[in-house]
Amino acid sequence: MIYDVIIIGGGVIGCSIARTLSKYNLKIALLEKEADIASGTTKANSGVVHAGYAAERQYIKRNLCIRGNELYTQAAKELNFPFKRIGSFVVALEDEQIKDLEEKKKQGTEDGIPGLEVILDKKKILEMEPNLTDQVVGVLHAPSAGIVSPYELTFALAENAAMNGVQFFRNQEVIKILHRDYVFTIHARGSIYKSNNLINAAGLYADKISKMLGLDYFSILPRKGEYILFDKNALQLSKILFPMPTKVSKGILVCPTVHGNIFVGPNAQNITDIEDISTTEAGLKEVLEGGRTLVPNLPLRASIRNFAGLRAVPDSYDFIIDNTDIYGFINVAGILSPGLTSCFAIAEKVVDYLELLGVELKVKENYNPYRPKPERFKDFTKQELDKKIKADPKWGKIICRCETVSEHEIIEAIHAPVGARTIDGVKFRCRPGMGRCQGGFCTPRVVEILSRELNIPYHQITKRGDDTHVLVGLTKEFLLEENEKEEKEK
Ligand SMILES: Cc1cc2nc3c(=O)[nH]c(=O)nc-3n(C[C@H](O)[C@H](O)[C@H](O)COP(=O)(O)OP(=O)(O)OC[C@H]3O[C@@H](n4cnc5c(N)ncnc54)[C@H](O)[C@@H]3O)c2cc1C
């Protein structure tokens, strides 16, 4: 079969494009090299839906961020992913910085960002955010900024796309692409796919995909950002707190998550290894120091995890969204921050490009933009839970005590469209292992459930695909063998 469109890369960008295109009468497939979607940059970032004042006006990422932010309201209603518009502060600690805030406000307001205001009244600022340093002299308040769970957004996009007919193929690393007679032949780990149009949304690897077709006009370099995550309720923040930005980044922020944790990070380190997501002592110290300039009482003893993410930085420092010289091949590359914010606007742009290519975009009669909200144990009242448990006792079996996740939720996550196949797949969909003990109690139980539901042996269950097995054999296998021998001899 020849697809109308194939998308390479199952990050937030590839999945957003897939979901937007799923509206039309097209045969679409998405190829992802990892065992699950949302395994690249989309998995580890700040999860901020930016207001859009940060990038300079010459960059297309500025307009796409402002438009993308707007589109979140409708998308969150349709797709039911966790999103809260809590607003952000850019914090000035010196009087000279106020004119920068005023300039950002002026330009941002001209460009249509709603509600921007510079607040200089310290009492008011500290009422709005009591944990902020009392060294503050002023803030730029952006009420339209928000927080989102980037991977839950991506799963929602993929589920809705799959409901509307998009086919997802995981463990499919694209290694070679040929283009002949207006058809792309895509080789991926032993399988071959054919398509009339090809969209490259391969994140850190997008330059390599482009080069497979002989297009060598940009390169991508990884820039690492490290984070420290704190336990839930260790400290409550009501705003996203940014320092004054630097030339290379928006700086080290202190921010709540949609699940009630807070985090501090990221720093910005240019590196050469595209796979290096290690955290370092120096990096974490830098992050902590940066965070403390905004929130001096960061509760370090309540930190539960460190992690790092890699920005895909293009040489132009701007998004590359191109109808290339190869007919039907669209690069969506160099999607650094604010890519998460811009994902819906980027998908709109890709639709425009496909239209320019003459692809017939006829809306499906049975298109359904809604993805039901996954039910969560912790959202129910006692009475509701009683009913649920009566209908299915697995609602009453708590697998993850830190995050109060029931067996029912894990089974749902496995059997959802584009469902979980790995321990991390379950963790990122419904949170067992995300809490204080970081999976110490629940991992063996999650392995058991995955094994039972997918009908595969324990030792084949992996943390995140390939050789990330957590079980290598039975520790008391020799005893079983001895037993069997004895039984036979009797
Ligand atoms: C530290 C940090 C903080 C950030 N904070 C924010 C923020 O607060 N707000 C915001 O708006 N943006 C933020 N961003 C940016 C945002 O995370 C990215 O723009 C977004 O996640 C990019 O998504 P993507 O789909 O392009 O890339 P990815 O998520 O990396 O997806 C690309 C996918 O392609 C797959 N792939 C690669 N090669 C192949 C191949 N050969 N075959 C098949 N599949 C392949 C990969 O496995 C991957 O899953 C941040 C980024 C970082 C690193």
Side-chain angles (χ1 to χ4, degrees), residues 8-15 31-34 36-50 172-175 201-206 209 212 223-227 250 253 266-267 308-312 319 332 335-342:
I8 303 174
V12 70
I13 301 302
C15 291
L31 310 180
E32 167 54 51
K33 81 176 165 70
E34 299 296 331
D36 207 347
I37 54 169
S39 294
T41 301
T42 295
K43 186 171 75 174
N45 56 63
S46 305
V48 173
V49 176
H50 293 285
Q172 292 299 295
E173 179 176 9
V174 173
I175 48 170
L204 287 154
Y205 295 80
I209 297 290
M212 287 181 197
R223 182 179 290 162
K224 193 196 282 188
E226 295 170 67
Y227 291 91
K250 297 178 196 78
L253 53 143
N267 56 351
L310 298 179
R311 305 166 181 91
F319 296 166
V332 186
I335 309 297
L336 67 175
S337 187
L340 182 63
T341 311
S342 312

Short mmCIF file of all heavy atoms in Angstrom, two decimals, residues 8-15 31-34 36-50 172-175 201-206 209 212 223-227 250 253 266-267 308-312 319 332 335-342, ligand 1:
data_model
loop_
_atom_site.label_atom_id
_atom_site.label_comp_id
_atom_site.label_asym_id
_atom_site.label_seq_id
_atom_site.Cartn_x
_atom_site.Cartn_y
_atom_site.Cartn_z
N ILE A 8 7.86 10.90 10.05
CA ILE A 8 8.96 10.24 10.78
C ILE A 8 9.14 10.98 12.11
O ILE A 8 9.43 12.17 12.14
CB ILE A 8 10.28 10.27 9.99
CG1 ILE A 8 10.10 9.61 8.61
CG2 ILE A 8 11.41 9.58 10.76
CD1 ILE A 8 11.31 9.72 7.70
N GLY A 9 8.95 10.28 13.22
CA GLY A 9 9.16 10.86 14.55
C GLY A 9 7.87 10.98 15.33
O GLY A 9 6.92 11.64 14.90
N GLY A 10 7.85 10.32 16.49
CA GLY A 10 6.65 10.33 17.34
C GLY A 10 6.82 11.17 18.58
O GLY A 10 6.44 10.78 19.68
N GLY A 11 7.40 12.36 18.42
CA GLY A 11 7.44 13.33 19.52
C GLY A 11 6.17 14.17 19.46
O GLY A 11 5.23 13.86 18.69
N VAL A 12 6.15 15.25 20.25
CA VAL A 12 4.94 16.07 20.27
C VAL A 12 4.66 16.69 18.90
O VAL A 12 3.49 16.87 18.52
CB VAL A 12 5.02 17.15 21.39
CG1 VAL A 12 6.05 18.24 21.08
CG2 VAL A 12 3.66 17.76 21.65
N ILE A 13 5.73 16.94 18.12
CA ILE A 13 5.52 17.58 16.82
C ILE A 13 4.94 16.57 15.82
O ILE A 13 3.91 16.84 15.18
CB ILE A 13 6.85 18.18 16.29
CG1 ILE A 13 7.39 19.23 17.29
CG2 ILE A 13 6.69 18.77 14.90
CD1 ILE A 13 6.46 20.39 17.59
N GLY A 14 5.56 15.39 15.72
CA GLY A 14 5.04 14.37 14.81
C GLY A 14 3.61 13.99 15.17
O GLY A 14 2.75 13.85 14.28
N CYS A 15 3.33 13.84 16.46
CA CYS A 15 1.99 13.41 16.88
C CYS A 15 0.96 14.52 16.67
O CYS A 15 -0.20 14.26 16.35
CB CYS A 15 2.00 12.94 18.33
SG CYS A 15 2.92 11.39 18.52
N LEU A 31 6.12 6.72 11.89
CA LEU A 31 7.18 5.77 12.23
C LEU A 31 8.04 6.34 13.35
O LEU A 31 8.52 7.47 13.26
CB LEU A 31 8.08 5.51 11.01
CG LEU A 31 7.38 5.16 9.68
CD1 LEU A 31 8.41 4.94 8.59
CD2 LEU A 31 6.50 3.93 9.84
N GLU A 32 8.22 5.57 14.41
CA GLU A 32 9.02 6.02 15.56
C GLU A 32 10.10 4.99 15.83
O GLU A 32 9.82 3.80 15.86
CB GLU A 32 8.10 6.20 16.78
CG GLU A 32 8.81 6.35 18.10
CD GLU A 32 9.85 7.46 18.14
OE1 GLU A 32 9.54 8.59 17.75
OE2 GLU A 32 11.01 7.17 18.54
N LYS A 33 11.34 5.47 16.02
CA LYS A 33 12.43 4.51 16.19
C LYS A 33 12.43 3.85 17.56
O LYS A 33 12.88 2.72 17.71
CB LYS A 33 13.77 5.17 15.89
CG LYS A 33 14.41 6.01 16.98
CD LYS A 33 15.78 6.49 16.49
CE LYS A 33 16.33 7.62 17.33
NZ LYS A 33 16.74 7.26 18.68
N GLU A 34 11.91 4.50 18.57
CA GLU A 34 11.96 3.94 19.92
C GLU A 34 10.78 3.00 20.17
O GLU A 34 9.85 2.93 19.36
CB GLU A 34 11.95 5.07 20.96
CG GLU A 34 13.12 6.03 20.87
CD GLU A 34 14.47 5.35 21.14
OE1 GLU A 34 14.50 4.37 21.91
OE2 GLU A 34 15.48 5.81 20.58
N ASP A 36 8.49 3.45 22.19
CA ASP A 36 7.27 4.22 22.46
C ASP A 36 7.39 5.61 21.86
O ASP A 36 8.50 6.11 21.63
CB ASP A 36 7.03 4.33 23.98
CG ASP A 36 5.56 4.49 24.33
OD1 ASP A 36 4.74 4.76 23.42
OD2 ASP A 36 5.22 4.34 25.51
N ILE A 37 6.24 6.23 21.67
CA ILE A 37 6.24 7.64 21.27
C ILE A 37 6.62 8.48 22.51
O ILE A 37 6.69 7.94 23.62
CB ILE A 37 4.86 8.06 20.72
CG1 ILE A 37 3.76 7.71 21.74
CG2 ILE A 37 4.58 7.36 19.40
CD1 ILE A 37 2.43 8.30 21.41
N ALA A 38 6.85 9.76 22.32
CA ALA A 38 7.24 10.68 23.41
C ALA A 38 8.47 10.18 24.15
O ALA A 38 8.57 10.31 25.37
CB ALA A 38 6.08 10.87 24.39
N SER A 39 9.45 9.63 23.42
CA SER A 39 10.66 9.13 24.08
C SER A 39 11.86 10.05 23.89
O SER A 39 12.91 9.82 24.48
CB SER A 39 11.03 7.75 23.50
OG SER A 39 10.05 6.81 23.84
N GLY A 40 11.73 11.08 23.08
CA GLY A 40 12.87 11.97 22.81
C GLY A 40 12.78 13.24 23.65
O GLY A 40 12.43 13.20 24.84
N THR A 41 13.03 14.38 23.02
CA THR A 41 13.01 15.67 23.73
C THR A 41 11.67 15.92 24.42
O THR A 41 11.60 16.53 25.49
CB THR A 41 13.31 16.81 22.71
OG1 THR A 41 14.58 16.56 22.14
CG2 THR A 41 13.32 18.16 23.36
N THR A 42 10.62 15.39 23.81
CA THR A 42 9.27 15.59 24.35
C THR A 42 9.11 15.03 25.76
O THR A 42 8.25 15.48 26.52
CB THR A 42 8.27 14.92 23.37
OG1 THR A 42 8.32 15.64 22.13
CG2 THR A 42 6.85 14.90 23.89
N LYS A 43 9.96 14.07 26.11
CA LYS A 43 9.82 13.44 27.43
C LYS A 43 10.39 14.30 28.55
O LYS A 43 9.93 14.24 29.68
CB LYS A 43 10.55 12.09 27.39
CG LYS A 43 10.36 11.26 28.62
CD LYS A 43 10.91 9.86 28.45
CE LYS A 43 12.43 9.85 28.52
NZ LYS A 43 12.96 8.48 28.50
N ALA A 44 11.41 15.11 28.24
CA ALA A 44 12.13 15.81 29.31
C ALA A 44 12.32 17.28 28.96
O ALA A 44 13.29 17.65 28.31
CB ALA A 44 13.49 15.15 29.54
N ASN A 45 11.36 18.08 29.37
CA ASN A 45 11.47 19.53 29.15
C ASN A 45 10.69 20.23 30.26
O ASN A 45 10.24 19.59 31.19
CB ASN A 45 10.96 19.90 27.74
CG ASN A 45 9.54 19.43 27.52
OD1 ASN A 45 8.63 19.85 28.21
ND2 ASN A 45 9.36 18.50 26.59
N SER A 46 10.53 21.55 30.14
CA SER A 46 9.93 22.28 31.27
C SER A 46 8.41 22.22 31.28
O SER A 46 7.78 22.59 32.27
CB SER A 46 10.36 23.75 31.23
OG SER A 46 11.76 23.84 31.20
N GLY A 47 7.80 21.81 30.17
CA GLY A 47 6.34 21.71 30.14
C GLY A 47 5.64 23.05 30.28
O GLY A 47 4.52 23.12 30.77
N VAL A 48 6.31 24.11 29.82
CA VAL A 48 5.68 25.44 29.91
C VAL A 48 5.04 25.80 28.57
O VAL A 48 5.67 25.64 27.52
CB VAL A 48 6.73 26.52 30.30
CG1 VAL A 48 6.12 27.92 30.22
CG2 VAL A 48 7.27 26.25 31.69
N VAL A 49 3.81 26.25 28.62
CA VAL A 49 3.16 26.79 27.43
C VAL A 49 3.43 28.30 27.49
O VAL A 49 2.81 29.03 28.27
CB VAL A 49 1.66 26.44 27.43
CG1 VAL A 49 0.96 27.10 26.25
CG2 VAL A 49 1.50 24.93 27.37
N HIS A 50 4.42 28.71 26.71
CA HIS A 50 4.90 30.09 26.81
C HIS A 50 3.89 31.08 26.24
O HIS A 50 3.16 30.76 25.29
CB HIS A 50 6.22 30.23 26.06
CG HIS A 50 7.35 29.47 26.69
ND1 HIS A 50 7.97 29.89 27.84
CD2 HIS A 50 7.94 28.30 26.34
CE1 HIS A 50 8.91 29.01 28.17
NE2 HIS A 50 8.91 28.03 27.28
N GLN A 172 10.61 1.40 14.81
CA GLN A 172 10.84 1.50 13.36
C GLN A 172 11.81 2.63 13.06
O GLN A 172 11.41 3.74 12.71
CB GLN A 172 9.51 1.73 12.62
CG GLN A 172 8.56 0.56 12.68
CD GLN A 172 9.15 -0.68 12.02
OE1 GLN A 172 9.39 -0.70 10.82
NE2 GLN A 172 9.40 -1.72 12.80
N GLU A 173 13.09 2.34 13.22
CA GLU A 173 14.09 3.37 12.93
C GLU A 173 14.29 3.49 11.42
O GLU A 173 14.67 2.52 10.76
CB GLU A 173 15.42 3.02 13.60
CG GLU A 173 16.47 4.06 13.28
CD GLU A 173 17.79 3.82 14.00
OE1 GLU A 173 17.96 2.76 14.61
OE2 GLU A 173 18.65 4.71 13.90
N VAL A 174 14.05 4.66 10.89
CA VAL A 174 14.25 4.89 9.45
C VAL A 174 15.74 4.94 9.17
O VAL A 174 16.47 5.72 9.81
CB VAL A 174 13.54 6.19 9.00
CG1 VAL A 174 13.87 6.52 7.56
CG2 VAL A 174 12.04 6.08 9.22
N ILE A 175 16.21 4.09 8.26
CA ILE A 175 17.65 4.06 7.99
C ILE A 175 18.00 4.45 6.55
O ILE A 175 19.12 4.81 6.24
CB ILE A 175 18.27 2.68 8.32
CG1 ILE A 175 17.43 1.58 7.69
CG2 ILE A 175 18.38 2.47 9.83
CD1 ILE A 175 18.07 0.21 7.76
N ALA A 201 9.92 14.77 11.13
CA ALA A 201 9.78 15.39 12.46
C ALA A 201 10.64 14.60 13.45
O ALA A 201 10.19 14.22 14.53
CB ALA A 201 8.31 15.39 12.89
N ALA A 202 11.89 14.36 13.04
CA ALA A 202 12.74 13.43 13.80
C ALA A 202 13.59 14.10 14.87
O ALA A 202 14.58 13.53 15.34
CB ALA A 202 13.62 12.62 12.84
N GLY A 203 13.23 15.30 15.29
CA GLY A 203 13.88 15.95 16.43
C GLY A 203 15.39 16.07 16.25
O GLY A 203 15.87 16.62 15.26
N LEU A 204 16.13 15.52 17.21
CA LEU A 204 17.60 15.62 17.19
C LEU A 204 18.22 14.95 15.96
O LEU A 204 19.37 15.19 15.63
CB LEU A 204 18.16 14.97 18.46
CG LEU A 204 17.95 15.77 19.74
CD1 LEU A 204 17.93 14.84 20.96
CD2 LEU A 204 19.05 16.82 19.91
N TYR A 205 17.45 14.07 15.31
CA TYR A 205 17.97 13.32 14.16
C TYR A 205 17.46 13.88 12.83
O TYR A 205 17.66 13.26 11.79
CB TYR A 205 17.57 11.84 14.28
CG TYR A 205 18.21 11.17 15.48
CD1 TYR A 205 17.68 11.33 16.74
CD2 TYR A 205 19.36 10.41 15.34
CE1 TYR A 205 18.28 10.75 17.85
CE2 TYR A 205 19.97 9.81 16.43
CZ TYR A 205 19.41 9.99 17.69
OH TYR A 205 20.01 9.41 18.78
N ALA A 206 16.78 15.02 12.86
CA ALA A 206 16.13 15.52 11.64
C ALA A 206 17.14 15.84 10.54
O ALA A 206 16.86 15.64 9.35
CB ALA A 206 15.30 16.75 11.97
N ILE A 209 17.94 12.59 8.73
CA ILE A 209 16.85 12.16 7.83
C ILE A 209 16.90 12.98 6.54
O ILE A 209 16.81 12.45 5.44
CB ILE A 209 15.47 12.33 8.53
CG1 ILE A 209 15.36 11.43 9.76
CG2 ILE A 209 14.32 12.11 7.55
CD1 ILE A 209 15.26 9.95 9.51
N MET A 212 19.47 11.84 4.21
CA MET A 212 19.17 10.58 3.51
C MET A 212 18.60 10.86 2.12
O MET A 212 18.64 10.03 1.24
CB MET A 212 18.15 9.74 4.31
CG MET A 212 18.75 9.09 5.55
SD MET A 212 17.49 8.11 6.42
CE MET A 212 18.28 7.94 8.02
N ARG A 223 21.74 20.53 22.89
CA ARG A 223 22.06 21.41 24.02
C ARG A 223 21.31 20.87 25.24
O ARG A 223 20.09 20.84 25.25
CB ARG A 223 21.66 22.86 23.71
CG ARG A 223 22.03 23.81 24.83
CD ARG A 223 21.66 25.24 24.50
NE ARG A 223 22.49 25.79 23.46
CZ ARG A 223 22.18 26.88 22.74
NH1 ARG A 223 21.04 27.50 22.96
NH2 ARG A 223 22.99 27.32 21.82
N LYS A 224 22.11 20.46 26.23
CA LYS A 224 21.51 19.76 27.37
C LYS A 224 20.94 20.72 28.42
O LYS A 224 21.50 21.80 28.66
CB LYS A 224 22.59 18.89 28.03
CG LYS A 224 22.02 17.90 29.03
CD LYS A 224 23.07 17.34 29.94
CE LYS A 224 23.89 16.27 29.28
NZ LYS A 224 24.79 15.61 30.28
N GLY A 225 19.84 20.30 29.02
CA GLY A 225 19.26 21.05 30.15
C GLY A 225 18.97 20.09 31.28
O GLY A 225 18.30 19.08 31.08
N GLU A 226 19.52 20.37 32.47
CA GLU A 226 19.34 19.47 33.61
C GLU A 226 18.30 20.03 34.58
O GLU A 226 18.12 21.25 34.68
CB GLU A 226 20.67 19.29 34.35
CG GLU A 226 21.70 18.57 33.49
CD GLU A 226 23.09 18.60 34.10
OE1 GLU A 226 23.30 17.98 35.15
OE2 GLU A 226 23.96 19.27 33.51
N TYR A 227 17.66 19.12 35.29
CA TYR A 227 16.56 19.50 36.20
C TYR A 227 16.67 18.79 37.55
O TYR A 227 17.17 17.67 37.63
CB TYR A 227 15.22 19.06 35.61
CG TYR A 227 14.76 19.79 34.38
CD1 TYR A 227 15.08 19.32 33.11
CD2 TYR A 227 13.99 20.95 34.48
CE1 TYR A 227 14.64 19.97 31.97
CE2 TYR A 227 13.54 21.60 33.34
CZ TYR A 227 13.87 21.12 32.09
OH TYR A 227 13.44 21.77 30.97
N LYS A 250 16.11 30.92 28.20
CA LYS A 250 15.21 31.70 29.05
C LYS A 250 15.65 31.65 30.50
O LYS A 250 15.00 32.22 31.36
CB LYS A 250 13.78 31.17 28.91
CG LYS A 250 13.25 31.31 27.50
CD LYS A 250 11.86 30.73 27.38
CE LYS A 250 11.50 30.52 25.92
NZ LYS A 250 12.12 29.31 25.32
N LEU A 253 14.46 28.24 35.53
CA LEU A 253 13.18 28.62 36.10
C LEU A 253 12.81 27.75 37.29
O LEU A 253 13.38 26.68 37.48
CB LEU A 253 12.08 28.60 35.05
CG LEU A 253 11.83 27.37 34.21
CD1 LEU A 253 10.34 27.19 33.97
CD2 LEU A 253 12.52 27.53 32.88
N PRO A 266 15.95 24.50 33.38
CA PRO A 266 17.16 23.77 33.01
C PRO A 266 18.34 24.71 32.85
O PRO A 266 18.15 25.91 32.62
CB PRO A 266 16.76 23.21 31.65
CG PRO A 266 15.88 24.30 31.06
CD PRO A 266 15.21 24.97 32.21
N ASN A 267 19.57 24.16 32.95
CA ASN A 267 20.72 24.94 32.50
C ASN A 267 20.85 24.74 30.99
O ASN A 267 19.97 24.13 30.38
CB ASN A 267 21.99 24.52 33.27
CG ASN A 267 22.28 23.04 33.13
OD1 ASN A 267 21.44 22.29 32.61
ND2 ASN A 267 23.42 22.61 33.60
N ALA A 308 17.64 15.02 32.63
CA ALA A 308 18.11 16.00 31.65
C ALA A 308 17.40 15.78 30.32
O ALA A 308 17.00 14.66 29.99
CB ALA A 308 19.62 15.87 31.44
N GLY A 309 17.23 16.85 29.57
CA GLY A 309 16.65 16.77 28.23
C GLY A 309 17.58 17.47 27.24
O GLY A 309 18.42 18.28 27.64
N LEU A 310 17.43 17.13 25.96
CA LEU A 310 18.30 17.72 24.94
C LEU A 310 17.51 18.57 23.96
O LEU A 310 16.59 18.08 23.31
CB LEU A 310 19.01 16.61 24.16
CG LEU A 310 19.94 15.68 24.94
CD1 LEU A 310 20.54 14.64 24.01
CD2 LEU A 310 21.04 16.46 25.65
N ARG A 311 17.90 19.83 23.85
CA ARG A 311 17.27 20.69 22.85
C ARG A 311 17.90 20.38 21.49
O ARG A 311 19.12 20.17 21.42
CB ARG A 311 17.53 22.17 23.17
CG ARG A 311 17.09 22.59 24.57
CD ARG A 311 17.69 23.95 24.90
NE ARG A 311 17.35 24.44 26.23
CZ ARG A 311 18.08 24.20 27.33
NH1 ARG A 311 19.17 23.46 27.27
NH2 ARG A 311 17.72 24.72 28.49
N ALA A 312 17.08 20.37 20.44
CA ALA A 312 17.61 20.16 19.08
C ALA A 312 17.87 21.54 18.49
O ALA A 312 16.97 22.17 17.95
CB ALA A 312 16.58 19.40 18.25
N PHE A 319 13.02 27.64 14.05
CA PHE A 319 12.37 26.45 13.50
C PHE A 319 12.62 26.40 11.98
O PHE A 319 12.57 27.43 11.30
CB PHE A 319 10.85 26.51 13.70
CG PHE A 319 10.37 26.51 15.13
CD1 PHE A 319 9.04 26.85 15.43
CD2 PHE A 319 11.21 26.14 16.19
CE1 PHE A 319 8.57 26.84 16.73
CE2 PHE A 319 10.73 26.12 17.50
CZ PHE A 319 9.41 26.48 17.77
N VAL A 332 10.41 19.40 9.20
CA VAL A 332 9.92 20.13 10.38
C VAL A 332 11.01 19.88 11.43
O VAL A 332 10.93 18.96 12.24
CB VAL A 332 8.55 19.58 10.86
CG1 VAL A 332 8.01 20.44 11.98
CG2 VAL A 332 7.56 19.56 9.70
N ILE A 335 13.24 22.05 16.07
CA ILE A 335 12.11 22.53 16.88
C ILE A 335 12.56 22.56 18.35
O ILE A 335 12.23 21.69 19.16
CB ILE A 335 10.85 21.65 16.67
CG1 ILE A 335 10.54 21.48 15.18
CG2 ILE A 335 9.66 22.26 17.41
CD1 ILE A 335 10.21 22.76 14.42
N LEU A 336 13.32 23.59 18.64
CA LEU A 336 13.76 23.81 20.02
C LEU A 336 12.63 24.54 20.77
O LEU A 336 11.52 24.66 20.26
CB LEU A 336 15.10 24.55 20.07
CG LEU A 336 15.22 26.00 19.59
CD1 LEU A 336 16.62 26.51 19.87
CD2 LEU A 336 14.92 26.16 18.12
N SER A 337 12.88 25.04 21.96
CA SER A 337 11.84 25.76 22.67
C SER A 337 11.48 27.02 21.88
O SER A 337 12.39 27.66 21.34
CB SER A 337 12.34 26.14 24.07
OG SER A 337 11.29 26.69 24.81
N PRO A 338 10.25 27.38 21.75
CA PRO A 338 9.03 26.88 22.36
C PRO A 338 8.25 25.88 21.48
O PRO A 338 7.08 26.13 21.15
CB PRO A 338 8.23 28.16 22.56
CG PRO A 338 8.59 28.99 21.34
CD PRO A 338 9.99 28.63 20.98
N GLY A 339 8.88 24.75 21.16
CA GLY A 339 8.25 23.78 20.25
C GLY A 339 6.99 23.16 20.84
O GLY A 339 6.00 22.94 20.13
N LEU A 340 7.06 22.88 22.14
CA LEU A 340 5.89 22.28 22.79
C LEU A 340 4.69 23.23 22.70
O LEU A 340 3.57 22.83 22.38
CB LEU A 340 6.29 22.03 24.25
CG LEU A 340 5.30 21.38 25.18
CD1 LEU A 340 4.98 19.99 24.71
CD2 LEU A 340 5.90 21.35 26.59
N THR A 341 4.96 24.50 22.97
CA THR A 341 3.89 25.50 22.89
C THR A 341 3.35 25.62 21.46
O THR A 341 2.16 25.80 21.25
CB THR A 341 4.44 26.89 23.31
OG1 THR A 341 5.13 26.75 24.53
CG2 THR A 341 3.33 27.92 23.44
N SER A 342 4.28 25.50 20.50
CA SER A 342 3.91 25.79 19.11
C SER A 342 3.33 24.61 18.37
O SER A 342 2.98 24.73 17.18
CB SER A 342 5.16 26.26 18.34
OG SER A 342 5.86 27.23 19.06
C1 LIG B 1 15.50 21.34 28.45
C2 LIG B 1 14.34 21.68 27.55
C3 LIG B 1 13.30 22.49 27.98
C4 LIG B 1 12.25 22.81 27.13
N1 LIG B 1 11.20 23.52 27.63
C5 LIG B 1 10.16 23.83 26.82
C6 LIG B 1 9.04 24.52 27.33
O1 LIG B 1 8.93 24.75 28.52
N2 LIG B 1 8.08 24.89 26.46
C7 LIG B 1 8.15 24.63 25.13
O2 LIG B 1 7.28 25.07 24.40
N3 LIG B 1 9.18 23.92 24.62
C8 LIG B 1 10.17 23.49 25.44
N4 LIG B 1 11.21 22.76 24.97
C9 LIG B 1 11.20 22.37 23.57
C10 LIG B 1 10.30 21.15 23.33
O3 LIG B 1 10.55 20.16 24.28
C11 LIG B 1 10.60 20.63 21.93
O4 LIG B 1 10.39 21.67 21.02
C12 LIG B 1 9.72 19.46 21.52
O5 LIG B 1 9.67 18.47 22.50
C13 LIG B 1 10.27 18.89 20.23
O6 LIG B 1 9.48 17.80 19.86
P1 LIG B 1 9.87 16.94 18.59
O7 LIG B 1 8.71 16.08 18.31
O8 LIG B 1 10.38 17.83 17.51
O9 LIG B 1 11.15 16.11 19.04
P2 LIG B 1 11.25 14.72 19.83
O10 LIG B 1 10.39 14.67 21.00
O11 LIG B 1 12.71 14.48 20.06
O12 LIG B 1 10.68 13.68 18.77
C14 LIG B 1 11.41 13.25 17.67
C15 LIG B 1 11.18 11.76 17.54
O13 LIG B 1 11.77 11.29 16.36
C16 LIG B 1 12.24 9.98 16.60
N5 LIG B 1 13.26 9.66 15.59
C17 LIG B 1 14.50 10.18 15.46
N6 LIG B 1 15.14 9.60 14.44
C18 LIG B 1 14.29 8.69 13.90
C19 LIG B 1 14.41 7.76 12.83
N7 LIG B 1 15.53 7.63 12.11
N8 LIG B 1 13.35 6.96 12.57
C20 LIG B 1 12.19 7.05 13.28
N9 LIG B 1 12.06 7.92 14.32
C21 LIG B 1 13.09 8.73 14.62
C22 LIG B 1 12.83 10.10 18.01
O14 LIG B 1 13.01 8.84 18.64
C23 LIG B 1 11.82 10.99 18.70
O15 LIG B 1 10.83 10.26 19.38
C24 LIG B 1 12.26 22.36 25.80
C25 LIG B 1 13.28 21.52 25.36
C26 LIG B 1 14.29 21.15 26.25
C27 LIG B 1 15.32 20.17 25.82
#
